Amino acid sequence: MLVSQLIIAVFVNTVLNTLWLSLMYKMPFIGYLPARLSKEVIATPLQILIIYFGLNSTQFERIKNKLLG
């Protein structure tokens, strides 16, 4: 879970999204990078915590037990 979230944050959100924005709006890649990097530094740990607590909640356990038998 942690590794997949970090790969998404670093590669997809930071690199690819920044590249696509720079191509779409014809602005230099390096112009978008600081804002995108700072957003990922803040958002990624929060997303990891939300996923962790969501998957470890009692409500999720009840749903999982109902679905799996």
Side-chain angles (χ1 to χ4, degrees):
M1 172 186 78
L2 178 67
V3 174
S4 62
Q5 184 62 36
L6 288 174
I7 289 171
I8 291 169
V10 171
F11 185 67
V12 175
N13 294 346
T14 304
V15 177
L16 290 180
N17 284 353
T18 306
L19 176 64
W20 296 326
L21 283 172
S22 68
L23 292 174
M24 283 175 35
Y25 298 114
K26 295 178 178 46
M27 186 174 173
F29 179 85
I30 204 73
Y32 282 113
L33 196 57
R36 306 288 294 174
L37 257 170
S38 61
K39 179 251 182 199
E40 288 307 318
V41 166
I42 295 168
T44 301
L46 293 174
Q47 289 174 342
I48 290 171
L49 285 173
I50 290 168
I51 291 169
Y52 175 78
F53 287 118
L55 291 178
N56 289 321
S57 70
T58 56
Q59 184 65 30
F60 182 76
E61 287 296 321
R62 278 188 238 137
I63 293 170
K64 186 170 69 171
N65 290 336
K66 257 188 175 178
L67 290 175
L68 299 177

